[in-house]
Amino acid sequence: MSRTVLISGAGIAGSTLAYWLGRNGFDVTVVERARAQRSSGNPVDVKGPAVDVAEAMGVMPRLRAAASRVERMSFVDAAGRERSRLRLSAFQGGAGDREIELARADLAAILLDGARDHAEIRWADSISGITQDSDGVDVVFENGAGGRYDYLIGADGLHSNVRRLVFGAEAGFLRHLGMYVATLPVDRAFGDEREVVMFNRPGQAITVHPSKGKAVAAFMFRHDAIPGLGHRDLDGHKRLIAGTFSGPIGIFGDLLDQLKAADDLYFDSVSRVRLPRWSDGRVALLGDAGSCLSLFGDGSTLAIAAAHTLAEELTRTPGRPHTAFAAYEQRHRKLVEPRQRGMRAASALMVPATSAGIVVRNAVTRVIR
Ligand SMILES: Cc1cc2nc3c(=O)[nH]c(=O)nc-3n(C[C@H](O)[C@H](O)[C@H](O)COP(=O)(O)OP(=O)(O)OC[C@H]3O[C@@H](n4cnc5c(N)ncnc54)[C@H](O)[C@@H]3O)c2cc1C
């Protein structure tokens, strides 16, 4: 008899899990809050263990076709003069030149396409109620329907809905790391197709990242947590960024004009998610929902690797969720925890807090190059 699984979130983790569980004979439903797939977003990586998983899914040719050609990051001043440069291959994750970078939404869409033969997708819906007993999980959807499943997996990102409903309010698990990030598509890159350009002021950074003839700008800035600032308050975010980046920013000035006009702005705090356990009965968390690294780690790589591990363990011990979830957590924590410990060092490299820090970073990256 086939086992039923509901996955909340058709992102990177949820789509990968849907593929593997569907392929292994599970009856899979995915509920996704968005109305449809998008095709843009921040560049993310498929590195290290995720490359083997993607190859086994047969999606590597499509991922390669969607990949950016970025090879280096140039640290520049406000006039665009290069101060230092870093080869991005210095951060390779063990799969050498098989590793790629592509837009987050493109990655999720390609992974989900792979899962379509194996899973039913419910777009524009979300879970509003969860109750579980020893044999299953009862779920109510916002659109009014409901269902009972053998397992429920929360793969619904940093602000996970399943985590809130089963484990409690996010304030208990989510730690603001003293920084915010906003990204938006912009009309031009600042270097060639192989170059990410970064400009720093103390505690602030602007990057422009080319990908497939398009570009994405990111504004990152150190700031204590701002109480009451919702992650969907578009006008509030624009005001905050414009105020933070006021003053001379040279060739990057027109990005603020594009920001003012943007309706496709990603904005969030840079946060780490840590929970003492990733499962409760028949419910488990996956990807950013359980262990977010934000932009300073290999979040997309780890989401793919985690989904594969969870599918393996659920397949290995059908009908024994405690055993499967414990084995998944034990295996995957070994990968995630060292990355979470490295988040502060990565943020110091990308967004030095002081002028002296910027000088030191540039000197260090000159040596690494
Ligand atoms: C600015 C930025 C830059 C980054 N750069 C990199 C990088 O260079 N390299 C890297 O490896 N990682 C990077 N990351 C991290 C990476 O994007 C994440 O770790 C990765 O996307 C996590 O995958 P996920 O599937 O867990 O979550 P997501 O990709 O966030 O997917 C979650 C899904 O759940 C859906 N959802 C949300 N709420 C609900 C709900 N209530 N009901 C149903 N569905 C819901 C969302 O719509 C989404 O489809 C970056 C992140 C950010 C913010």
Side-chain angles (χ1 to χ4, degrees):
M1 194 183 70
S2 122
R3 302 249 148 211
T4 54
V5 183
L6 175 65
I7 301 170
S8 176
I12 296 166
S15 300
T16 308
L17 183 68
Y19 172 87
W20 284 105
L21 287 182
R23 191 171 129 163
N24 294 351
F26 287 70
D27 183 351
V28 181
T29 305
V30 181
V31 56
E32 166 58 50
R33 189 184 56 193
R35 303 212 152 270
Q37 277 171 345
R38 297 165 62 200
S39 80
S40 61
N42 316 307
V44 297
D45 305 293
V46 179
K47 290 165 59 172
V51 174
D52 291 336
V53 175
E55 278 179 350
M57 291 171 75
V59 295
M60 264 331 255
R62 282 191 68 194
L63 296 183
R64 246 182 247 114
S68 77
R69 296 177 55 218
V70 161
E71 292 171 2
R72 60 181 185 273
M73 179 177 274
S74 297
F75 302 104
V76 303
D77 62 20
R81 285 183 298 251
E82 186 177 288
R83 297 294 178 179
S84 178
R85 176 192 283 200
L86 192 59
R87 265 184 309 103
L88 295 174
S89 57
F91 297 101
Q92 263 173 2
D97 58 12
R98 293 184 300 147
E99 300 187 349
I100 54 175
E101 180 198 81
L102 73 166
R104 173 161 70 155
D106 290 348
L107 173 57
I110 293 168
L111 294 170
L112 187 64
D113 276 353
R116 274 180 200 280
D117 291 344
H118 309 285
E120 179 201 332
I121 323 282
R122 296 174 68 111
W123 295 102
D125 205 354
S126 179
I127 298 169
S128 59
I130 300 169
T131 47
Q132 59 169 322
D133 54 45
S134 57
D135 295 325
V137 188
D138 289 302
V139 167
V140 180
F141 294 104
E142 280 181 356
N143 76 6
R148 183 169 172 85
Y149 301 87
D150 294 316
Y151 310 106
L152 167 62
I153 310 299
D156 40 11
L158 172 59
H159 302 288
S160 168
N161 184 42
V162 170
R163 188 183 63 219
R164 179 177 58 80
L165 290 169
V166 175
F167 296 81
E170 71 176 26
F173 314 114
L174 191 142
R175 177 143 177 227
H176 176 72
L177 294 183
M179 199 179 299
Y180 285 92
V181 59
T183 65
L184 69 152
V186 291
D187 61 7
R188 68 189 167 101
F190 281 64
D192 68 27
E193 278 274 291
R194 286 163 295 174
E195 182 173 42
V196 182
V197 171
M198 176 177 269
F199 164 65
N200 287 93
R201 294 195 304 199
Q204 300 177 2
I206 299 174
T207 62
V208 182
H209 206 122
S211 180
K212 309 296 287 177
K214 301 180 192 162
V216 174
F219 294 85
M220 296 171 260
F221 56 99
R222 293 179 179 272
H223 204 298
D224 289 342
I226 304 170
L229 181 69
H231 64 278
R232 298 212 182 98
D233 175 6
L234 181 63
D235 290 336
H237 302 154
K238 288 183 180 179
R239 276 195 304 276
L240 178 62
I241 297 161
T244 304
F245 286 87
S246 63
I249 55 172
I251 61 164
F252 298 94
D254 75 294
L255 296 180
L256 284 179
D257 298 329
Q258 296 191 50
L259 172 95
K260 276 184 205 140
D263 51 16
D264 186 10
L265 182 70
Y266 168 89
F267 181 94
D268 216 327
S269 70
V270 175
S271 299
R272 185 176 65 200
V273 170
R274 267 190 184 151
L275 286 97
R277 289 192 58 197
W278 293 342
S279 65
D280 178 352
R282 290 178 167 269
V283 182
L285 300 175
L286 181 67
D288 277 9
S291 56
C292 181
L293 300 148
S294 191
L295 63 166
F296 297 123
D298 291 327
S300 52
T301 284
L302 292 176
I304 292 170
H308 184 252
T309 302
L310 178 54
E312 271 188 348
E313 295 301 340
L314 281 171
T315 306
R316 202 192 312 273
T317 54
R320 286 191 283 140
H322 299 282
T323 309
F325 290 156
Y328 146 68
E329 181 164 339
Q330 199 221 353
R331 286 174 63 189
H332 193 64
R333 272 195 192 273
K334 284 188 195 142
L335 289 183
V336 166
E337 286 181 350
R339 309 294 172 98
Q340 289 197 318
R341 285 195 291 274
M343 284 173 77
R344 283 198 188 276
S347 70
L349 183 70
M350 290 299 143
V351 193
T354 61
S355 300
I358 296 171
V359 171
V360 170
R361 190 277 314 278
N362 289 349
V364 169
T365 48
R366 248 178 251 125
V367 174
I368 297 174
R369 76 192 254 190

